[in-house]
Amino acid sequence: MDEIFTPFSKEEMIPQAELLEIPRKKEKFCIGIPRETNNQEKRVLLTPDAVEVLVSNGHQVMVETGAGEGAHFNDKEYSEAGAQISYSTREVFENPIILKVGPLTSDELKWIKPMSFIVSSVTPNILNQDYFVKLSKKKITCVGFEYIRDEQNQLPVVRLLSEIAGTTSVLIGSELMSTAHGGNGILMGGITGVRPTEVVILGAGTVAENATRTALGLGASVRVFDNSLSRLRRLQKNVGSLFPTSTIDPKELNKSLMRCDLLIGALRGDSRTPCVVTETMVERMKEGAVIIDVSIDNGGCCETSKITTHDNPTFIKHGVVHYGVANITSRVARTSTKALSNFFLPYILMIANDGGFDRLVVCDKTVRNGIYLYKGRLVNRSLGERFDLPFHDINLLLL
């Protein structure tokens, strides 16, 4: 009897031993959370509740004393969550993983151990080439908030903070328009029989969306400028209301600025924010008008803007009140801390469960997108061009 035709050999037809997946070994991390000392930063990256989850999963967390005070989380809360409270900043930086909100200071650059892993924000406007060179010499791996992208190619941390910044900017503007702060004594939104406040918003991104929603909710008259019609259309759809929009035409923008009571600058650029409001335009604005330049950390979109601090947040130029605090979300530190903690806690657990950072960076594009320095090599092209440093493609380094 002829054998039945089959494309497989006799050896291949023999039952094979079942191959079981080898479970990945979970990593245990030693994490340091230092107290923020620069730029009047009050946020902290993890709440006591998040620390408790990490400790219950076998991780060690060291928190510098007073790290959470700015967000109204005290040492006792962190200690009861299982964290070790350290009274030495240097001791905190001896941990292989550092979770920080702001960039490292000059002293922290000296204390950080070689081959460490840092998660922090990157503020190119206040950094210099030497900062990246020092990190590179120690073969540090750095993840920047601003560069993390999710599966939808969105910037989740930037969006979180932008939502807070957008709402906060309108509330700050409302406060600065009062007579006590040098404004015109105008109530945000107006009342029956009184014209509504005129608000101009530059940009149609997440900051603008939340600023627009808040201003409209308070009863203000809002006009948004952006050079992308699709972004303007999306903004109107997301807000769920029709309001005047326009492309950034200098003549049209100048007319709106002459009438407005509050200007919110929320434009973004690839490297530097486009400066679309000239000093001449500011000179023509009403005396006592307010400018909140949310984009100041990337240069600002007003020619007259400059970086200010939480202690001295405003200055007056040409009769216009300017607000230029770079870390505006630190003004509402507790809300910002909870938002950041909600994002980073699942990622830390995921990295631990998937066998550690080195393994996950190869497999997970989300984590890989956030890296701007990989084992001492700069892998972010925009930073390389801005600070005249050699750029390396991270995908080639992982081969």
Side-chain angles (χ1 to χ4, degrees):
M1 182 177 177
D2 295 335
E3 294 184 2
I4 298 174
F5 173 76
T6 172
F8 303 101
S9 65
K10 289 183 178 181
E11 290 77 11
E12 291 174 320
M13 295 291 288
I14 298 174
Q16 302 293 313
E18 182 181 4
L19 298 178
L20 298 177
E21 181 182 2
I22 300 175
R24 297 172 184 172
K25 183 180 179 181
K26 293 185 178 181
E27 288 282 325
K28 302 299 182 185
F29 294 147
C30 295
I31 301 169
I33 302 177
R35 180 174 183 170
E36 304 289 339
T37 58
N38 61 334
N39 204 24
Q40 296 181 307
E41 184 59 69
K42 298 179 181 178
R43 297 168 294 179
V44 61
L45 210 57
L46 294 179
T47 64
D49 289 342
V51 169
E52 186 175 2
V53 174
L54 290 175
V55 172
S56 65
N57 278 269
H59 304 295
Q60 296 180 21
V61 181
M62 181 182 290
V63 178
E64 184 180 355
T65 180
E69 285 181 355
H72 298 283
F73 295 115
N74 57 45
D75 290 350
K76 183 181 178 182
E77 291 177 274
Y78 280 107
S79 180
E80 291 177 346
Q84 177 186 348
I85 305 299
S86 173
Y87 290 85
S88 169
T89 307
R90 191 165 193 164
E91 184 184 19
V92 174
F93 278 93
E94 290 176 354
N95 288 278
I97 299 176
I98 303 297
L99 304 182
K100 200 173 183 299
V101 178
L104 274 66
T105 64
S106 56
D107 285 336
E108 292 167 352
L109 282 169
K110 298 175 185 176
W111 295 331
I112 194 78
K113 296 294 183 181
M115 301 299 293
S116 296
F117 175 59
I118 302 173
V119 177
S120 72
S121 63
V122 185
T123 312
N125 202 41
I126 62 174
L127 298 178
N128 53 35
Q129 186 188 71
D130 188 56
Y131 178 84
F132 298 97
V133 172
K134 288 179 178 178
L135 287 174
S136 181
K137 287 180 178 178
K138 292 193 174 184
K139 300 187 183 302
I140 306 295
T141 296
C142 301
V143 173
F145 297 173
E146 300 91 329
Y147 307 123
I148 297 175
R149 291 185 179 272
D150 57 19
E151 296 82 359
Q152 287 75 41
N153 202 34
Q154 301 296 313
L155 300 167
V157 182
V158 172
R159 182 171 182 84
L160 272 176
L161 297 178
S162 295
E163 288 176 2
I164 298 170
T167 301
T168 305
S169 64
V170 174
L171 300 179
I172 294 172
S174 176
E175 181 183 346
L176 294 179
M177 284 191 296
S178 66
T179 309
H181 292 88
N184 281 325
I186 297 175
L187 176 66
M188 173 64 78
I191 58 171
T192 305
V194 180
R195 71 168 183 83
T197 311
E198 297 278 347
V199 179
V200 171
I201 299 176
L202 300 176
T206 306
V207 173
E209 179 183 327
N210 285 269
T212 301
R213 188 179 287 114
T214 303
L216 289 174
L218 291 171
S221 174
V222 179
R223 183 164 189 177
V224 180
F225 287 80
D226 194 278
N227 273 333
S228 171
L229 291 176
S230 60
R231 283 198 295 266
L232 291 171
R233 193 175 295 113
R234 182 184 61 199
L235 175 63
Q236 285 189 325
K237 181 179 178 182
N238 290 346
V239 172
S241 175
L242 292 177
F243 48 86
T245 60
S246 176
T247 54
I248 304 177
D249 172 59
K251 189 174 182 180
E252 194 66 29
L253 177 60
N254 189 45
K255 289 180 181 178
S256 294
L257 292 181
M258 291 172 67
R259 295 191 299 266
C260 85
D261 303 297
L262 172 63
L263 167 64
I264 296 176
L267 288 171
R268 302 294 295 182
D270 293 333
S271 55
R272 194 209 184 283
T273 300
C275 186
V276 298
V277 179
T278 64
E279 186 165 355
T280 303
M281 292 180 180
V282 175
E283 289 175 353
R284 293 174 179 170
M285 291 178 68
K286 292 187 293 189
E287 188 170 346
V290 176
I291 294 176
I292 310 286
D293 204 336
V294 184
S295 304
I296 193 64
D297 57 337
N298 273 330
C301 47
C302 297
E303 191 176 358
T304 52
S305 293
K306 64 180 181 181
I307 292 179
T308 58
T309 64
H310 287 291
D311 287 338
N312 297 290
T314 63
F315 64 93
I316 298 176
K317 188 166 186 177
H318 303 306
V320 177
V321 180
H322 291 66
Y323 181 96
V325 177
N327 57 338
I328 190 172
T329 56
S330 185
R331 187 181 177 97
V332 285
R334 192 176 179 91
T335 297
S336 300
T337 293
K338 288 184 176 181
L340 289 170
S341 185
N342 288 342
F343 176 82
F344 282 106
L345 175 60
Y347 270 96
I348 296 171
L349 294 175
M350 180 181 69
I351 291 171
N353 293 334
D354 285 358
F357 175 77
D358 287 333
R359 178 183 175 86
L360 192 66
V361 73
V362 176
C363 307
D364 192 286
K365 191 176 180 182
T366 303
V367 176
R368 190 162 66 247
N369 283 334
I371 300 172
Y372 65 90
L373 204 69
Y374 182 67
K375 295 182 178 179
R377 297 187 179 183
L378 191 70
V379 293
N380 183 284
R381 187 182 296 275
S382 63
L383 289 176
E385 292 173 351
R386 179 162 185 159
F387 296 104
D388 193 25
L389 292 169
F391 162 76
H392 304 271
D393 190 330
I394 191 171
N395 297 299
L396 298 178
L397 298 178
L398 296 174
L399 293 176

